[in-house]
Amino acid sequence: MKADRLLIDCHVATMVEGPVPYGAIQDAAVVVADGRIAWVGPRADLPAVDAAETERLDGRWITPGLIDCHTHLVFGGDRSAEFEQRLGGATYEEISRAGGGIVSSVKATRAASEDDLFASAMTRLAGLKDTGVTTVEIKSGYGLDRETELKMLRVARRIGREGGVRVRTSYLGLHAVPPEYRDDRAAYVDLAIDDILPAAHAEGLVDAVDAYCEPIAFSSDEVSRLFDKARTLGLPVKLHADQLSNGGGAALAARYQALSADHIEHATEDGVAAMAAAGVVAVLLPGAYLMLRETQTPPVDLLRRHGVRMAVATDCNPGTSPVASMTAALNLACIQFRLTPEEALSGATREAARALGMLAEIGTLEAGKAADLAIWDISRPAELCYWLGKPLLNAACRGGKHV
């Protein structure tokens, strides 16, 4: 077998489902050829390999490159002043209704150039990459006009070309009503659905369509119109669902066979059952839960009981989750939501890939998949969820190449 790289003297958490926790292989070997995993298994079973490079890892662990499947990485400015307001007792809803929240980020994002947005996003991406992330989902939604929504999505595509990570984009035009449409929200909904989305799709900027379904955002009827349009364009959908209240978002996501329903702190058992039947992944976002000081946790026990897959993401954004560390998100998912370390790590690998529709390509370490790897200075996989702030990453590879 000819190969580009042979990794030995290592342990591998393949994250393949089965009876072995983490899909772990002790004293393993990984063979990489043409950017893909050619072979992975116990070193004792390693076939004859003619490798251009052999690397001994001194007993380190290899996992799939981590996947942050829900971020708002591209935006202008910050909202640290609102952080102070919330600490003083103001609620997220109060700040939003007073013209803060998403709308304040819209003003800063509209004013920023593409180069400015790219440069600021790359600083946040650095934190994700330093914690093992090799794939990032990036949403629009801080433009809320045609020019700026397209600008954000172009920046996201540029990050995919120049940032050393895989990028999946999501159009989030139904994120908030912009100030200029405050007295005519129906006209903005029309614009977002019938003008901006088709323009972004025609330019090849959209991989999926997202929306924010809440009383302070958009109704089920409005989101349904958007999702119907996405269907006509052949685009998958996902949904910010049931974060602040039970608005039937989980069931709406299931009705459209969404890739994922995200947040879902207030989802009911009926909604969870609908998600299970439709194969919708639950994306848990512990950073937002922490920063908003919420008390209603996602229904993890119901998700387990109904067999709903659970992903974990940072929700990196300027207002409600200024989190740029994937390992911090794993720790918070375990501490706040009581996920096991194996559930959390699965949520940042296999299930995150499923939530992006990319499981055939990434998310587990199996022959034929892309060689997106994270190499860690740890003695067991649970350490990735145990430490908060300790640097653990030794190296990361995308398509077999160090990044």
Side-chain angles (χ1 to χ4, degrees):
M1 179 190 304
K2 284 194 171 292
D4 300 316
R5 297 178 68 196
L6 170 62
L7 306 178
I8 58 173
D9 190 15
C10 60
H11 313 294
V12 174
T14 67
M15 304 314 296
V16 173
E17 289 185 271
V20 179
Y22 304 97
I25 304 171
Q26 303 283 339
D27 190 15
V30 180
V31 181
V32 176
D34 298 322
R36 298 196 167 269
I37 300 169
W39 189 90
V40 59
R43 180 159 54 159
D45 299 337
L46 180 66
V49 178
D50 179 11
E53 176 187 357
T54 298
E55 187 174 353
R56 302 186 67 92
L57 296 183
D58 301 323
R60 293 183 173 91
W61 277 86
I62 303 175
T63 70
L66 302 189
I67 301 165
D68 196 349
C69 65
H70 181 130
T71 85
H72 304 254
L73 198 70
V74 175
F75 57 83
D78 71 61
R79 277 151 57 190
S80 55
E82 293 176 15
F83 173 65
E84 289 185 302
Q85 287 180 290
R86 288 201 304 273
L87 291 176
T91 67
Y92 180 67
E93 291 94 333
E94 288 168 347
I95 292 170
S96 177
R97 293 188 189 282
I102 294 167
V103 172
S104 65
S105 291
V106 170
K107 182 178 180 180
T109 304
R110 288 178 175 178
S113 69
E114 287 193 22
D115 285 343
D116 289 340
L117 291 175
F118 176 78
S120 66
M122 287 296 287
T123 67
R124 295 181 283 274
L125 180 66
L128 299 181
K129 291 172 67 175
D130 285 347
T131 53
V133 170
T134 56
T135 297
V136 183
E137 183 260 12
I138 301 175
K139 304 179 191 296
S140 68
Y142 292 125
L144 308 184
D145 62 22
R146 178 172 175 154
E147 177 185 356
T148 316
E149 287 291 297
L150 297 183
K151 177 172 66 175
M152 292 183 68
L153 292 166
R154 290 188 196 111
V155 171
R157 285 285 191 240
R158 181 178 172 188
I159 291 169
R161 293 191 302 271
E162 302 177 26
V165 293
R166 300 180 193 274
V167 168
R168 274 291 194 265
T169 61
S170 296
Y171 169 68
L172 184 57
L174 294 192
H175 197 197
V177 176
E180 64 270 26
Y181 284 94
R182 187 170 293 138
D183 296 326
D184 193 359
R185 65 180 288 124
Y188 175 69
V189 172
D190 290 344
L191 177 75
I193 295 172
D194 298 326
D195 180 82
I196 304 175
L197 174 56
H201 178 257
E203 200 172 318
L205 298 176
V206 184
D207 296 318
V209 173
D210 198 350
Y212 186 23
C213 187
E214 282 287 347
I216 65 169
F218 295 92
S219 69
S220 295
D221 287 344
E222 290 166 332
V223 172
S224 293
R225 279 190 54 206
L226 173 69
F227 284 2
D228 287 339
K229 185 68 172 184
R231 275 182 172 172
T232 69
L233 297 173
L235 293 168
V237 300
K238 55 182 64 180
L239 186 64
H240 288 60
D242 301 336
Q243 178 187 9
L244 304 175
S245 62
N246 173 26
L252 177 62
R255 188 158 75 246
Y256 282 89
Q257 296 183 305
L259 291 171
S260 67
D262 302 24
H263 290 290
I264 67 165
E265 280 89 336
H266 292 267
T268 64
E269 184 160 11
D270 287 346
V272 169
M275 288 174 61
V280 178
V281 177
V283 178
L284 308 182
L285 303 168
Y289 177 90
L290 174 74
M291 294 300 294
L292 291 174
R293 296 191 293 179
E294 293 287 351
T295 57
Q296 177 72 44
T297 59
V300 170
D301 287 340
L302 286 177
L303 297 172
R304 289 175 179 143
R305 189 182 313 153
H306 287 273
V308 175
R309 309 290 185 141
M310 293 182 287
V312 176
T314 64
D315 194 12
C316 180
N317 75 66
T320 62
S321 188
V323 176
S325 165
M326 197 65 217
T327 51
L330 295 180
N331 175 279
L332 293 173
C334 293
I335 297 300
Q336 296 182 142
F337 299 161
R338 297 295 190 264
L339 266 62
T340 68
E342 185 177 5
E343 285 175 326
L345 188 54
S346 297
T349 54
R350 183 182 68 241
E351 303 311 331
R354 196 188 308 274
L356 295 180
M358 298 181 70
L359 186 56
E361 179 74 1
I362 57 174
T364 60
L365 299 183
E366 301 178 77
K369 288 195 174 184
D372 289 8
L373 315 173
I375 301 170
W376 305 95
D377 291 319
I378 57 175
S379 59
R380 56 197 306 267
E383 282 193 63
L384 298 177
C385 304
Y386 167 67
W387 291 107
L388 188 58
K390 179 181 177 181
L392 301 172
L393 187 71
N394 178 268
C397 304
R398 188 190 70 168
K401 296 180 180 180
H402 282 285
V403 295

